Every structure is written in structure tokens, then in C-alpha cells.
């Protein structure tokens, strides 16, 4: 498998991946944070067949799905707890609001143990921590509690 990083002046950075099977895909990360996933034909590796724009939270979910290590490390079999990362997207009723407004622990029994932000991590955030679009909540609880918290954050 081959990878290549190319700086695109005035645009951002392009990351190209060629699989062992010879398939070519790229991720373009724009300076403003937009991301595009591009797929190329085997017969013409320079011709992009499909380009899919991804919002920040969508890119984060895709990255977690592609990396099996966090998924394997997340489940704590035998003790009844799971750890998951829950994105705060633009449709969340809690984007821009205080963490305490979620009443997460009271409503679900699950705990938000950290908030990952684009440029930093915030371990053990207090109720006065203000959530932002693109944040990722690191949550620990029972399967039911974590699922309930994910639904609350998603506004379901």
C-alpha cells in the first residue's frame, strides 16, 4: 500500500492512498476544515470518478470505522460497561450549550469523561463546559445508557 501527502497551495492538503489491489483514493482537507473523499478508476488513476464531501463529524465517524483498534479497545467485556465516542453535529440541540444542560448522568447513568475538540482534549469536563459543533464526547456507561445519551445528543 502506498500513501502520498501533497500540499495544495491556497486549498489545503491532499492525502492519496493506493491499495495493494491498485485502487486509488484520496482525502482532500481544505484549510477551512472541509473534507472530500475521492475515488479514482483503476484504468485512469488521475481521473476522479466520485467525490464525496464530508462534514467534520462525518469524517470522524468514518475514521473510527476504518480503524479497528479503537473499536476493539472500546468494549470492556465482562464488566458490563462500554466506552464510545459520540459526535456533536450541527443538528444537536446541545451544540453551543453547556454540558450540564444535557443532564447526561442523571438521565442515562452514562458519564461524559472527556470532550475531544479539533485542537485539544478536555478531560473530565464540568457542567459549565460549552459544547461546540464538531466536538466528540467520550462516554462511559452501560450499553443502554450510552445509546440513550447518543440519542439525546443527536436530538432524537
Amino acid at each position: 500500500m502506498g500513501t502520498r501527502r501533497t500540499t495544495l497551495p491556497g486549498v489545503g492538503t491532499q492525502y492519496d492512498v493506493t491499495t495493494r489491489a491498485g485502487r486509488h483514493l484520496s482525502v482532500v482537507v481544505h484549510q477551512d476544515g472541509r473534507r472530500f473523499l475521492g475515488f479514482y478508476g483503476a484504468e485512469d488513476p488521475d481521473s476522479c470518478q466520485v467525490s464525496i464531501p464530508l462534514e467534520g463529524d462525518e469524517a470522524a465517524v468514518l475514521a473510527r470505522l476504518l480503524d479497528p483498534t479503537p473499536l476493539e479497545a472500546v468494549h470492556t467485556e465482562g464488566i458490563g460497561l462500554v466506552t464510545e465516542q459520540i459526535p456533536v453535529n450541527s443538528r444537536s440541540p446541545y451544540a453551543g450549550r453547556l454540558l450540564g444542560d444535557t443532564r447526561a448522568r442523571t438521565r442515562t447513568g452514562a458519564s461524559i469523561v472527556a470532550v475531544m475538540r479539533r485542537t485539544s482534549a478536555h478531560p473530565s469536563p464540568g457542567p459549565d463546559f460549552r459544547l461546540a459543533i464538531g466536538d466528540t464526547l467520550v462516554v462511559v456507561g452501560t450499553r443502554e445508557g450510552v445509546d440513550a445519551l447518543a440519542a439525546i445528543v443527536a436530538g432524537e
Side-chain angles (χ1 to χ4, degrees), residues 133-155:
I133 294 171
D135 283 352
T136 300
L137 309 180
V138 179
V139 179
V140 176
T142 63
R143 170 82 277 147
E144 296 80 16
V146 170
D147 288 346
L149 182 52
I152 289 168
V153 170

Side-chain angles (χ1 to χ4, degrees), residues 35-126:
R35 290 166 172 75
F36 291 85
L37 184 59
F39 297 92
Y40 297 80
E43 61 284 344
D44 184 0
D46 294 325
S47 176
C48 186
Q49 294 181 330
V50 177
S51 177
I52 302 170
L54 299 172
E55 293 184 19
D57 60 330
E58 295 168 329
V61 168
L62 181 60
R64 285 193 301 275
L65 290 172
L66 291 173
D67 183 1
T69 306
L71 293 175
E72 292 170 8
V74 173
H75 299 284
T76 51
E77 302 296 329
I79 62 171
L81 294 177
V82 296
T83 303
E84 284 196 6
Q85 296 181 10
I86 300 172
V88 178
N89 63 35
S90 60
R91 294 176 302 280
S92 173
Y94 296 99
R97 292 179 56 191
L98 299 178
L99 181 62
D101 292 346
T102 66
R103 297 181 39 242
R105 196 169 326 148
T106 302
R107 294 168 71 184
T108 68
S111 296
I112 299 169
V113 298
V115 176
M116 307 300 288
R117 191 161 277 168
R118 193 174 189 179
T119 57
S120 57
H122 302 274
S124 303

